[in-house]
Amino acid sequence: MRKTSQDEQILRATKEIVVKFIETGRISPTGFPEAFKTIYRAVDETVRLAADPETADENAGEAS
């Protein structure tokens, strides 16, 4: 199973965010698995919504 460039960028961004949070003490290394999952989902959702403007427009009203 080959990952797309977008998937690789999402993984890379998530890793950088988690590492920075560990370095600054916002999360502990033991909290890595849960933090990684949560941050990955947030980055993935943000990227995919930005890539599909129609979906972003439909979901814009849901945040209110």
Side-chain angles (χ1 to χ4, degrees):
M1 182 168 142
R2 176 91 172 111
K3 293 209 179 299
T4 65
S5 175
Q6 187 177 44
D7 291 336
E8 290 172 3
Q9 290 174 352
I10 291 168
L11 280 170
R12 217 173 291 127
T14 302
K15 183 191 87 167
E16 290 177 21
I17 293 167
V18 172
V19 167
K20 192 58 75 176
F21 280 177
I22 290 172
E23 290 174 348
T24 60
R26 294 191 61 123
I27 62 170
S28 69
T30 57
F32 173 84
E34 189 59 36
F36 189 89
K37 289 177 194 174
T38 302
I39 294 168
Y40 180 88
R41 282 188 216 114
V43 172
D44 183 58
E45 181 179 306
T46 301
V47 169
R48 299 207 189 279
L49 285 176
D52 187 6
E54 289 181 19
T55 304
D57 289 341
E58 291 172 6
N59 291 334
E62 293 178 14
S64 300

